[in-house]
Amino acid sequence: MADTAADTSLSFCESIELGDTSVTVAPDATRSNRVLVACEQALYTFECPAVPSKTDPARINHVWLTDPANPAFMQRPLSCFTQASLKIPQGYSTFGAGSLFYLAGSTLVLADLGALPEPQMVPRRLPLKGSPTKVIHSEQLNKLIALYTTTTAEPSSRGSTPRDRSFTKRSCATIAFIDPDAETLRSQLDDEGSHGHFPIANVKHQERCLGLLEWLPTNGDDPYRILVVNTVIGQPAGEEATGRLLLFSLTMDRAGKVNLNLKKRIDKDAPVWCVAPYGNTSLVYACGDDIVLQKLDMSTKHFEAPSKITLRCRATHISVSDSQVFVSTRGSGCHTFCVDDDGKLQLLCADASGRSDIYHLKIPTMSLVLSTDNECRVAGLWQDARGQLGRTAPLVFEANLPGSITRLREVPRPLWQRVLPKVRPTIIVGASENGAIYQFSLLDEHAWRLLAFIQNITLRDPRVCPYPSPLVHEQHIEPRDVDVQKQNRHINGDILDRLLRRGGARLLGEMLAKAPDPDRMFADYRSGDDRQQRFNELVEAAGWAQREGHVESTVEKIAEMLISAI
């Protein structure tokens, strides 16, 4: 199936550049006011309104191919295309009429040119010369900024045979600016810098770039655009390892060309692990085991004397929210710092569990911080800004996953996913080290109790879970405060999805009405009617009750909640 996503609007008197090569135009057999356009191995549609109007301009849509049977399908560059006609000599064709034949390399793709039944993400491939180590999105430039490294082998000595020759590996760090819309399928590997690729000059021996930050310090109403790169020089675990902060100025002309110039190098006596902006003119970064807050004097363009605080172990991630500094550490959990009136860092609260954290995410509307660690756990820490300094952040919940989460982002729910009662309008997306993408939702107490009730019933049914853990039958179906630990306050969405796929409302109704096991009455209700009555009470408390029935409405809400936002 081919999805057309609106990319650009233009009037009848304007023109737009699709690429550097010639444009191929063909009529669309399905619509008289639309033509197919191919340029630089990409396919577009150009559609005019039925009646010319200034308020309804013509539109150019980029065509993206999707495969319902393969969500990870990657569109390859276009070689040529054609479209089947709607008419044949004997009449109208019913199979393949209006279909698009798309040749990508040695693969022939048959696609229907139209909109998807429901919106969804379309995977795209962005080629680079090396493996990216850091990718960020610049809202100011509307571009992706990628930091990648290329390694080349250069001969260090001459020999009579190739075996006698020795080679030296040289690594080159490069910063690339990628337009995710215009340059997705366009070759970006022609000339260095011609498509926004800038090698970092004067990189020291054994220096590796660890992070990338777009910093926008302001001097009154005059903002600056600076790109900050933090590095480590030498072996990270070595005692002699050092680091640097590299500051680049960013400019973009009217044609959209980005210019990158190195303005300042700041040498440090320890590796600079991570960096984040603080306020309008300050940076907070981790240098060795220290957290450093340093302000940039906008008049002299020099940094003032830093404010430091030493931790027991080095930081792995730093973020700033509501003038508070959140730090994930390798061995002492997540810490929260505040800045006093003298510009000094003060410890506000900390996690006392001693986790080896990887990443964290502050929920803006709550005093909650999600923290991930190396043991495949996601913990919710309550960090209230009110109260005295140096307090311990209590653990609210903890989830155990198959892999460790390395990145977390909170995003609005997509347009195709309705907001349910008592469920937050945002979702949390996490990237795991095992290559999986996880989708999290924060539930209130009533929604969690209802879903935990359904999950416990589902785990006992062999039609859904044929090999359950023996502990499943030892705990009561309804989660009770005396039995539930904070480590078990999470719902496995894969179990609920399996319930929907293997019967849905019918299967859930059968499990609710099933007679309890006489030998396990301590972990169940006296009868199926009592179980059904308690289920109805939980549905009403969660606000999910509807007229058509509690079971049907609950299954519908679960199905909407499990819709992928990726």
Side-chain angles (χ1 to χ4, degrees):
M1 178 175 290
D3 179 28
T4 58
D7 289 338
T8 308
S9 301
L10 70 163
S11 66
F12 290 100
C13 300
E14 295 178 351
S15 62
I16 185 172
E17 180 182 357
L18 298 179
D20 299 329
T21 62
S22 60
V23 177
T24 302
V25 181
D28 188 355
T30 60
R31 295 186 183 181
S32 59
N33 62 330
R34 188 171 67 182
V35 295
L36 305 178
V37 180
C39 180
E40 286 202 358
Q41 301 180 334
L43 185 64
Y44 306 85
T45 61
F46 180 81
E47 186 172 354
C48 299
V51 179
S53 172
K54 293 183 179 180
T55 59
D56 188 13
R59 304 192 67 84
I60 292 181
N61 299 327
H62 203 152
V63 177
W64 298 105
L65 300 183
T66 60
D67 186 0
N70 181 17
F73 174 79
M74 285 290 185
Q75 180 173 339
R76 300 178 60 187
L78 168 70
S79 299
C80 61
F81 75 95
T82 187
Q83 189 179 26
S85 176
L86 289 175
K87 293 184 178 181
I88 60 175
Q90 291 78 14
Y92 286 90
S93 174
T94 58
F95 176 77
S99 297
L100 180 68
F101 293 87
Y102 185 107
L103 183 61
S106 60
T107 304
L108 179 63
V109 180
L110 175 63
D112 292 330
L113 189 61
L116 292 170
E118 60 181 21
Q120 68 180 35
M121 299 294 183
V122 179
R124 293 173 286 176
R125 189 181 300 276
L126 305 174
L128 294 174
K129 280 189 174 181
S131 299
T133 57
K134 186 71 174 181
V135 179
I136 61 176
H137 177 260
S138 172
E139 296 182 359
Q140 301 291 330
L141 303 177
N142 192 23
K143 291 180 181 293
L144 293 176
I145 305 178
L147 175 65
Y148 67 92
T149 303
T150 56
T151 303
T152 58
E154 298 180 358
S156 57
S157 64
R158 296 183 179 180
S160 57
T161 62
R163 181 175 296 180
D164 297 334
R165 300 172 186 172
S166 60
F167 294 85
T168 302
K169 289 185 178 180
R170 297 189 181 276
S171 299
C172 178
T174 304
I175 300 176
F177 296 85
I178 306 169
D179 189 334
D181 297 323
E183 297 182 3
T184 299
L185 297 178
R186 185 183 301 177
S187 175
Q188 306 174 37
L189 310 177
D190 297 340
D191 300 318
E192 293 289 353
S194 60
H195 290 292
H197 293 245
F198 301 91
I200 299 178
N202 300 324
V203 176
K204 295 185 177 182
H205 179 60
Q206 292 187 341
E207 184 174 17
R208 293 188 295 116
C209 299
L210 301 180
L212 197 64
L213 169 69
E214 185 185 22
W215 186 30
L216 304 174
T218 57
N219 185 12
D221 296 333
D222 188 13
Y224 294 84
R225 186 176 291 120
I226 298 177
L227 192 66
V228 183
V229 178
N230 56 290
T231 71
V232 56
I233 304 173
Q235 297 297 328
E239 296 180 358
E240 299 180 356
T242 59
R244 292 195 299 177
L245 282 174
L246 306 178
L247 278 66
F248 300 85
S249 65
L250 278 176
T251 58
M252 187 171 65
D253 56 19
R254 295 183 179 180
K257 183 180 179 181
V258 178
N259 296 315
L260 184 69
N261 297 309
L262 180 61
K263 291 296 184 181
K264 193 176 186 61
R265 302 183 185 93
I266 304 177
D267 296 329
K268 294 295 179 180
D269 56 359
V272 183
W273 303 113
C274 45
V275 60
Y278 183 87
N280 295 329
T281 58
S282 299
L283 285 177
V284 55
Y285 54 91
C287 182
D289 294 341
D290 297 334
I291 302 298
V292 182
L293 177 64
Q294 202 163 8
K295 183 178 181 180
L296 176 65
D297 190 338
M298 301 302 297
S299 59
T300 62
K301 303 299 186 296
H302 289 85
F303 281 94
E304 299 178 358
S307 170
K308 298 181 180 181
I309 187 170
T310 303
L311 305 178
R312 292 187 298 172
C313 50
R314 73 173 182 88
T316 57
H317 176 227
I318 295 179
S319 68
V320 177
S321 178
D322 297 331
S323 300
Q324 297 179 1
V325 180
F326 300 87
V327 181
S328 294
T329 63
R330 178 183 287 185
S332 59
C334 184
H335 295 62
T336 303
F337 298 91
C338 61
V339 181
D340 59 16
D341 297 336
D342 298 330
K344 305 296 183 181
L345 288 169
Q346 299 289 339
L347 178 62
L348 183 62
C349 56
D351 181 11
S353 62
R355 306 172 188 271
S356 181
D357 284 355
I358 300 177
Y359 205 84
H360 66 261
L361 175 66
K362 173 67 170 64
I363 307 301
T365 57
M366 305 173 62
S367 298
L368 186 69
V369 176
L370 299 184
S371 177
T372 69
D373 59 25
N374 288 325
E375 298 183 4
C376 309
R377 297 177 298 186
V378 178
L381 304 174
W382 188 261
Q383 297 191 350
D384 194 351
R386 297 168 295 182
Q388 60 183 356
L389 301 177
R391 296 180 297 106
T392 300
L395 177 67
V396 180
F397 60 83
E398 186 177 84
N400 293 279
L401 303 176
S404 296
I405 302 298
T406 58
R407 291 293 184 272
L408 288 172
R409 292 289 186 273
E410 185 180 21
V411 297
R413 291 187 180 272
L415 299 177
W416 56 87
Q417 192 180 48
R418 292 193 303 172
V419 178
L420 304 178
K422 298 186 179 182
V423 177
R424 289 176 56 83
T426 59
I427 60 173
I428 299 168
V429 179
S432 175
E433 62 180 1
N434 59 10
I437 301 294
Y438 291 88
Q439 179 174 312
F440 304 93
S441 295
L442 295 178
L443 307 173
D444 70 344
E445 181 74 14
H446 298 292
W448 170 78
R449 288 191 176 276
L450 171 61
L451 294 180
F453 183 92
I454 299 174
Q455 177 180 257
N456 293 339
I457 294 179
T458 304
L459 289 174
R460 301 185 181 192
D461 195 289
R463 293 170 292 182
V464 182
C465 300
Y467 307 105
S469 171
L471 299 178
V472 171
H473 300 280
E474 302 298 330
Q475 299 178 354
H476 200 275
I477 289 180
E478 182 179 356
R480 299 178 178 178
D481 295 335
V482 295
D483 300 328
V484 177
Q485 299 179 357
K486 296 177 180 179
Q487 289 80 359
N488 298 327
R489 289 185 175 273
H490 70 277
I491 305 299
N492 191 338
D494 294 333
I495 298 297
L496 300 181
D497 182 70
R498 197 183 306 171
L499 168 65
L500 300 183
R501 295 177 182 273
R502 299 188 181 183
R506 176 191 58 80
L507 181 57
L508 179 58
E510 294 176 359
M511 291 189 296
L512 291 173
K514 181 180 178 181
D517 187 354
D519 297 334
R520 301 183 183 275
M521 295 296 294
F522 63 91
D524 202 343
Y525 292 91
R526 296 181 179 179
S527 64
D529 293 338
D530 293 343
R531 192 189 302 115
Q532 179 71 54
Q533 180 180 356
R534 182 53 184 163
F535 171 78
N536 294 337
E537 294 174 355
L538 292 175
V539 173
E540 294 176 356
W544 290 12
Q546 293 183 0
R547 295 181 179 180
E548 61 268 19
H550 290 350
V551 175
E552 290 77 9
S553 63
T554 301
V555 170
E556 180 182 353
K557 297 295 189 302
I558 294 176
E560 295 175 356
M561 182 182 299
L562 295 180
I563 293 178
S564 176
I566 305 172

